[in-house]
Amino acid sequence: MSRVFKSKFAGLKLILLWLLLLILTMATALMAEPYTVTIGLVAIVLLVTVVKAKILVDSFMGLRNAPLFWRVMLLAYAPVLGVIITLTYAF
Amino acid sequence: MNAVEIPPSVTLEKEMPGDFAVWLFIMAELSVFALLFILYAITRARFPDMFSEGQANININAGLGNTLALLTSSYFVVAAQQALLRNLPKRTVLNIVLALLSGCVYLTIKGYEYLHVAELGFGLSSNDFYFFYFGLTAFHMFHVILGMLVLIVLAVKVAKGSYHAERMNEFESGACYWHMVDLLWLILFPLIYVLHG
């Protein structure tokens, strides 16, 4: 983890990622406003969630330089759940 | 007996933050929640009208506020780690306190949210939607409270000088637990608050 946080612009990068997470979250909330959920909307909302989860795992948890097994397990969490949840809206 | 010195070229390139045991615990927690998320999604697919009516009574702004509060708290926890890496204990503690305040914002919003739903006359046993809504969010909230207790312990130990740039494995373990709580909410938010019916 240390290596991830030691770079010269780590502080600025962290702030930008935090702002990006906030913007993506607000965009997701706006998508819910029309109250008409289609499978396309479900997929988009969950895709945004996958992007947010990747930022959290790689940059906040600091798993970018972690052993492949653990990184894959954590990074796969949101996409796998996203696909399963999307499928429940398809049937 | 002299310890065997490992040359730098032989040491592992890959870094794993925190203790191995914490990662086993995190994987167990993620698995339990994954099962609950899937059960929620399948039950919603079976009773879409019931879930749609229930979700209409849940305030999305509360869910949004909860998400922003948790993401902000995670930001402050990483900022605390950065400060600890630079051996700045006061700044580390300050960032943990700010993370805790963000956690308090989450708990306050959650309290108002539960009060609002209760005032509408709904509870855990009203129907399947409210069972999952209260069950999942309250189970998650208990993890937030546990995470906040962990952060308090970390702050106290940083203030006492127990952690520094060369000794922060325990600190990383606590931080990763907190980020896991955030990761779970990132799934909960769209599942319950955003994707209606």
Side-chain angles (χ1 to χ4, degrees):
Chain A
M1 178 178 282
S2 310
R3 203 188 318 170
V4 177
F5 299 141
K6 269 180 179 169
S7 68
K8 194 177 174 183
F9 300 105
L12 179 63
K13 187 186 171 189
L14 181 64
I15 290 171
L16 292 175
L17 287 173
W18 170 62
L19 289 174
L20 178 62
L21 285 170
L22 299 189
I23 290 166
L24 289 174
T25 300
M26 287 187 274
T28 308
L30 285 175
M31 288 179 202
E33 285 302 309
Y35 294 108
T36 47
V37 173
T38 61
I39 188 149
L41 183 70
V42 173
I44 291 169
V45 166
L46 292 173
L47 194 64
V48 173
T49 302
V50 168
V51 173
K52 288 162 65 181
K54 187 186 181 304
I55 294 171
L56 194 78
V57 169
D58 271 348
S59 301
F60 281 27
M61 280 183 164
L63 291 192
R64 183 161 287 147
N65 296 310
L68 190 65
F69 171 78
W70 290 101
R71 187 163 180 249
V72 168
M73 290 294 279
L74 268 290
L75 283 179
Y77 190 72
V80 169
L81 280 174
V83 169
I84 293 170
I85 293 165
T86 305
L87 284 175
T88 64
Y89 278 84
F91 300 106
Chain B
M1 187 177 161
N2 292 332
V4 178
E5 200 171 305
I6 302 171
S9 57
V10 181
T11 54
L12 292 173
E13 279 294 313
K14 301 292 181 185
E15 291 177 20
M16 192 69 185
D19 291 320
F20 180 68
V22 165
W23 283 102
L24 291 181
F25 181 65
I26 285 174
M27 290 311 296
E29 293 274 31
L30 289 175
S31 302
V32 170
F33 269 95
L35 190 66
L36 294 172
F37 293 153
I38 292 168
L39 280 174
Y40 174 95
I42 291 171
T43 313
R44 187 218 59 81
R46 286 186 66 204
F47 309 106
D49 292 338
M50 179 203 290
F51 275 64
S52 187
E53 285 168 20
Q55 284 172 301
N57 292 323
I58 307 298
N59 191 344
I60 190 173
N61 290 325
L64 177 63
N66 282 327
T67 315
L68 299 182
L70 284 182
L71 288 171
T72 303
S73 71
S74 268
Y75 162 78
F76 283 124
V77 168
V78 186
Q81 280 174 266
Q82 288 184 330
L84 192 58
L85 266 173
R86 292 174 174 83
N87 286 319
L88 301 169
K90 281 184 183 171
R91 189 179 289 186
T92 305
V93 172
L94 175 67
N95 278 301
I96 295 177
V97 169
L98 291 171
L100 285 167
L101 286 175
S102 302
C104 288
V105 170
Y106 165 91
L107 291 178
T108 305
I109 294 171
K110 191 57 64 197
Y112 277 114
E113 190 185 337
Y114 284 159
L115 204 62
H116 168 71
V117 178
E119 279 172 355
L120 292 173
F122 298 108
L124 191 69
S125 55
S126 295
N127 63 31
D128 282 354
F129 169 74
Y130 290 103
F131 175 78
F132 275 108
Y133 164 70
F134 281 111
L136 271 172
T137 56
F139 190 39
H140 179 268
M141 187 178 69
F142 290 137
H143 284 74
V144 172
I145 293 168
L146 178 61
M148 289 173 74
L149 293 174
V150 169
L151 290 182
I152 289 170
V153 172
L154 293 182
V156 170
K157 292 188 89 167
V158 169
K160 283 183 176 176
S162 302
Y163 304 134
H164 47 80
E166 304 305 318
R167 187 177 184 275
M168 54 186 297
N169 207 41
E170 274 179 38
F171 189 95
E172 288 177 342
S173 297
C176 284
Y177 177 82
W178 185 256
H179 295 313
M180 177 211 71
V181 173
D182 203 356
L183 177 64
L184 291 172
W185 186 262
L186 289 187
I187 311 284
L188 259 175
F189 173 56
L191 194 63
I192 291 179
Y193 296 86
V194 178
L195 301 173
H196 287 246

